[in-house]
Amino acid sequence: YLNSTNAIVTSPKYDLKTKTLEFNLESFEGHIIELQIISPTAVQGVFINGDNLSEWITESKKNELFEINLKHTSELKKNHYLIKFK
């Protein structure tokens, strides 16, 4: 689940079959977006507006749950996120 963010969340959905979490974040261009996801499984990939993001992601395991933190600079006012889990 999306635990926290410093932007406006719209259209969140989780697909159990494909193990993907999708949502949009709205802010402003140049805004440093920070978000945290909590999951029972590790992340396989993070995509922002279709681009694979491999930098600026940290992942740790606490109390049998994965804590995934992401920080990046927003290039658009509205960004689409797709997170794939293992």
Side-chain angles (χ1 to χ4, degrees), residues 15-82:
D15 187 323
L16 189 59
K17 189 182 291 185
T18 61
K19 296 183 180 178
T20 57
L21 174 64
E22 287 189 73
F23 54 90
N24 296 316
L25 291 182
E26 296 181 18
S27 61
F28 55 89
E29 293 177 35
H31 179 66
I32 297 175
I33 292 180
E34 297 180 37
L35 60 97
Q36 182 182 70
I37 296 167
I38 306 295
S39 172
T41 59
V43 166
Q44 183 175 355
V46 175
F47 301 86
I48 301 174
N49 301 321
D51 296 327
N52 189 0
L53 183 72
S54 57
E55 298 178 357
W56 313 111
I57 300 170
T58 60
E59 184 175 64
S60 61
K61 193 170 184 179
K62 295 180 182 176
N63 299 323
E64 301 301 316
L65 293 172
F66 288 91
E67 190 176 279
I68 301 107
N69 292 287
L70 184 141
K71 183 177 180 178
H72 75 100
T73 303
S74 177
E75 295 179 5
L76 303 169
K77 292 180 181 178
K78 183 177 181 179
N79 292 283
H80 181 76
Y81 293 75
L82 185 141

